[in-house]
Amino acid sequence: MLTDTQQQPLIDRIRDIDHPEAIRRFFGLLKELIDIVNLPNGDARLAFTVRKDQKAITANINFFWALRLVKPHRGEPEFWLTIKKSCQEQLEHFDEIDFGRISEKSNYVAVVIGQSNAHLLYQPAVQKCWQDCLAELVETAKRGPHSARHNGEVYQAAEDEAFLSDLIRLADDPSLGERLVNDNQVREPEGEYDLVPELPNQPHNLILFGPPGTGKTFALQPYLRNENSTLITFHPSYSYEEFIEGIRPEVVSGQITYRIRKGIFYRACLTAIQQAGYGTLADCLNDSPENRSQKLRRAPTHYLLIDEVNRANVASVFGDLITLLESDKRLGAEQELWITLPYSQERFGVPVNLFVIGTMNTTDRSIALLDVALRRRFSFREMPPDLSVLGEVDGIDLAQLLRIINDRIECLLDRDHQIGHAYLTNVQTHADLCEAFRDRIIPLLQEYFFNDWAKIQLVLGDNPAWGKEPEQRLVWVKKKYTANAAGKLFGELPDLLDELITYEVNPYLQRSEYNQIPTEAFVRIYSK
């Protein structure tokens, strides 16, 4: 029960600040601070204070301010995060951030962020500057002016979400203290909400797939214009520890320390639930299912955009979260689930207002495609080449040109190896078209067909049966070796040598002498 003498000053400060959401955000940051400094409650280097003469709650490390929540005489609550002065330049481009002086000769300054801009507290640059400073403050031997008494209840409130909830309720209604007996908790009254869901009409998990150049990454641009989005590109060495959470080594004052770092998926989920007014995932999970569902369904949507999703081992990266991705298993859904994370032992779930959108290149056979279990949890939308965006250049029908090339590739290989319209969308002149074939399309065909030039000739209509004149061909026969010529070349006739033909790209094309490349070289690709 809340009867300790140190609790009343803390309750008074919570009442002074008078903003439950700001309080919960502050104690969420305080939990991060405790995890980083790794000091027990009562350690002389760590002091949590509540000042009677100030509407503030402060965390001190080695007698230096490290984190504060302050209610000014006028205006909204402010978060003060201490950083090194050398880090200030990295954050000055954020117009909503102010900087506060800690003392005249201090090597530290405070990043001041108002509650209305609280999303900036979780900006990677802000988090890194603050967390790096915390690690330095723990190791410093300097001492600053500090005489206030440590309030251990602040530490407990950061570690115990239920205890914090009780404090906030008592600050709002002191009469509740008389009813908190025999460990009977007072339920937070449920708010009134419009029951109509406001989530976007699209799958929670969507993958855009297709060959290169079909605009998959471009399709993510509308989401990126929205500030409620996070973009990441997968690569073969990407892991669960980087995506969700893991233990990372850090060097502090020449000593290696290890700490739990949250990954981008965890932070995206945290941002999504903060859009619903929760400070932490624990706050969200401690709420009633009805409130949680209504708040998350009405909250702004957050998008996690994953480019090249199949370049990583996706099953390994998502790990035990694979079930939580399903729409009906998300927080706020009818059959919501959550798990306990392996490193931090925190409860974790995926909120219903988080949408995951990935892109997948179907031509890259050096990597594995998604396994069946993961494919079942994603919707797939094919993005084929869009010929309608291509026009005509110097009498060359680019749409027809690309269509015929792709038909031939599909016949010789498969539809996954077609060429996207992006290879030709910027072509405005004959020279542009020549350059696109020389630098992009022909090298791509070399990769597709493993330098089988006879097939490349078939794709470009340069094979003899198609009837192109020699000067109209983009790929030439460089030399055809007869048995006699091969014998002179090798000194003897190589075994199993039926016919040896070497090829080369049109030398005029290679030398950028585009005026020597006739228009018919491209027209005759699709018109015999």
Side-chain angles (χ1 to χ4, degrees):
M1 288 191 292
L2 304 176
T3 59
D4 193 282
T5 56
Q6 286 192 330
Q7 290 166 2
Q8 191 57 50
L10 177 55
I11 292 171
D12 291 341
R13 297 296 81 74
I14 292 176
R15 185 180 296 119
D16 291 339
I17 293 168
D18 192 26
H19 201 300
E21 183 180 345
I23 292 291
R24 290 188 180 277
R25 287 185 188 274
F26 171 78
F27 278 95
L29 292 170
L30 201 58
K31 179 66 167 66
E32 287 188 43
L33 181 149
I34 292 171
D35 291 342
I36 291 169
V37 301
N38 195 26
L39 297 175
N41 194 4
D43 189 288
R45 291 168 290 177
L46 189 64
F48 296 154
T49 62
V50 288
R51 298 284 299 271
K52 291 183 179 180
D53 56 334
Q54 299 175 352
K55 297 180 180 180
I57 305 173
T58 306
N60 305 274
I61 299 176
N62 273 328
F63 302 98
F64 285 98
W65 287 354
L67 175 67
R68 302 190 90 203
L69 178 62
V70 183
K71 179 64 182 296
H73 294 297
R74 295 181 180 177
E76 61 184 357
E78 295 175 344
F79 300 87
W80 288 49
L81 286 73
T82 301
I83 64 170
K84 293 180 283 189
K85 273 187 177 179
S86 58
C87 205
Q88 182 174 343
E89 291 183 2
Q90 302 177 30
L91 306 179
E92 288 179 340
H93 66 282
F94 291 106
D95 296 333
E96 302 89 346
I97 289 180
D98 292 324
F99 296 93
R101 189 173 60 183
I102 294 178
S103 65
E104 288 288 343
K105 298 181 180 180
S106 176
N107 293 324
Y108 306 101
V109 296
V111 173
V112 183
I113 298 175
Q115 166 61 24
S116 59
N117 296 310
H119 62 280
L120 294 175
L121 293 168
Y122 309 100
Q123 279 285 339
V126 174
Q127 284 274 304
K128 185 176 189 307
C129 288
W130 179 56
Q131 292 172 1
D132 288 347
C133 183
L134 295 180
E136 181 175 300
L137 289 177
V138 175
E139 300 298 325
T140 185
K142 296 179 181 179
R143 295 292 182 267
H146 174 63
S147 58
R149 180 167 164 273
H150 172 64
N151 189 316
E153 304 303 312
V154 178
Y155 193 108
Q156 182 181 347
E159 293 283 1
D160 187 342
E161 298 90 356
F163 179 72
L164 174 61
S165 296
D166 289 341
L167 291 173
I168 293 173
R169 290 168 186 151
L170 276 172
D172 183 59
D173 184 1
S175 67
L176 290 176
E178 301 173 0
R179 288 177 274 164
L180 285 172
V181 294
N182 298 325
D183 295 329
N184 291 324
Q185 299 291 322
V186 177
R187 290 177 61 87
E188 182 177 357
E190 297 184 358
E192 305 230 350
Y193 300 98
D194 182 357
L195 297 179
V196 179
E198 298 182 0
L199 296 175
N201 184 23
Q202 71 174 64
H204 270 107
N205 308 307
L206 175 65
I207 288 183
L208 309 175
F209 73 98
T214 55
K216 299 182 293 297
T217 303
F218 182 77
L220 301 180
Q221 295 302 313
Y223 301 102
L224 287 172
R225 297 190 196 103
N226 185 339
E227 64 178 12
N228 292 330
S229 63
T230 306
L231 174 67
I232 188 173
T233 301
F234 274 3
H235 52 79
S237 62
Y238 207 78
S239 66
Y240 176 93
E241 285 72 19
E242 293 173 280
F243 194 57
I244 312 298
E245 68 168 16
I247 298 176
R248 310 277 182 83
E250 294 185 355
V251 178
V252 178
S253 301
Q255 299 293 321
I256 296 179
T257 62
Y258 295 88
R259 50 187 284 204
I260 297 173
R261 286 277 197 174
K262 303 301 184 184
I264 193 167
F265 185 76
Y266 182 99
R267 295 197 299 271
C269 292
L270 179 61
T271 301
I273 65 104
Q274 287 168 347
Q275 299 288 340
Y278 296 108
T280 65
L281 278 163
D283 294 335
C284 179
L285 290 167
N286 287 335
D287 201 357
S288 67
E290 295 79 11
N291 274 355
R292 181 164 54 243
S293 177
Q294 291 164 350
K295 287 182 179 180
L296 290 174
R297 288 185 177 279
R298 289 175 51 84
T301 301
H302 189 78
Y303 295 95
L304 176 62
L305 311 174
I306 307 175
D307 203 17
E308 303 288 353
V309 66
N310 62 321
R311 290 200 64 81
N313 185 337
V314 182
S316 174
V317 169
F318 279 92
D320 49 4
L321 303 182
I322 185 170
T323 301
L324 303 184
L325 287 172
E326 296 185 43
S327 296
D328 62 341
K329 303 297 192 303
R330 290 174 175 240
L331 299 181
E334 185 176 351
Q335 303 177 39
E336 62 180 7
L337 294 176
W338 58 82
I339 63 171
T340 300
L341 294 176
Y343 292 100
S344 64
Q345 294 299 300
E346 295 177 10
R347 292 178 298 164
F348 179 78
V350 180
V352 75
N353 63 324
L354 177 73
F355 286 73
V356 180
I357 303 176
T359 67
M360 186 170 74
N361 191 336
T362 56
T363 63
D364 196 339
R365 296 303 180 185
S366 65
I367 52 181
L369 300 183
L370 304 187
D371 62 29
V372 175
L374 201 61
R375 288 184 71 91
R376 185 177 68 79
R377 291 167 169 87
F378 279 84
S379 298
F380 286 77
R381 185 174 299 164
E382 184 177 12
M383 297 194 67
D386 184 4
L387 303 182
S388 65
V389 302
L390 301 178
E392 187 175 295
V393 172
D394 290 347
I396 303 168
D397 187 341
L398 297 182
Q400 183 70 352
L401 172 68
L402 187 61
R403 185 184 69 81
I404 292 298
I405 287 177
N406 281 335
D407 285 349
R408 291 169 178 165
I409 292 174
E410 186 175 354
C411 182
L412 295 172
L413 285 175
D414 53 56
R415 62 183 289 123
D416 290 339
H417 284 77
Q418 296 181 77
I419 297 175
H421 54 270
Y423 283 82
L424 297 177
T425 49
N426 293 325
V427 170
Q428 302 294 329
T429 64
H430 178 75
D432 291 341
L433 184 59
C434 291
E435 197 167 272
F437 269 81
R438 184 193 67 179
D439 296 341
R440 305 185 67 193
I441 294 179
I442 293 178
L444 182 64
L445 293 175
Q446 287 179 258
E447 182 178 340
Y448 279 180
F449 294 103
F450 301 100
N451 284 320
D452 187 339
W453 287 96
K455 289 184 178 178
I456 297 174
Q457 277 197 320
L458 287 171
V459 171
L460 299 177
D462 289 338
N463 52 305
W466 190 248
K468 270 187 177 181
E469 297 298 327
E471 66 274 8
Q472 297 173 353
R473 297 175 184 172
L474 300 178
V475 174
W476 290 4
V477 173
K478 183 178 181 181
K479 196 166 186 179
K480 183 180 292 188
Y481 290 92
T482 62
N484 185 41
K488 290 181 179 180
L489 181 64
F490 296 106
E492 62 180 3
L493 189 63
D495 295 337
L496 304 176
L497 179 64
D498 295 328
E499 185 179 50
L500 179 62
I501 303 175
T502 59
Y503 299 85
E504 66 178 348
V505 176
N506 189 318
Y508 295 121
L509 194 64
Q510 292 279 53
R511 296 196 295 265
S512 302
E513 297 176 9
Y514 301 141
N515 59 329
Q516 299 296 321
I517 306 294
T519 301
E520 289 76 13
F522 301 103
V523 173
R524 294 292 301 280
I525 290 177
Y526 60 87
S527 176
K528 188 172 183 179

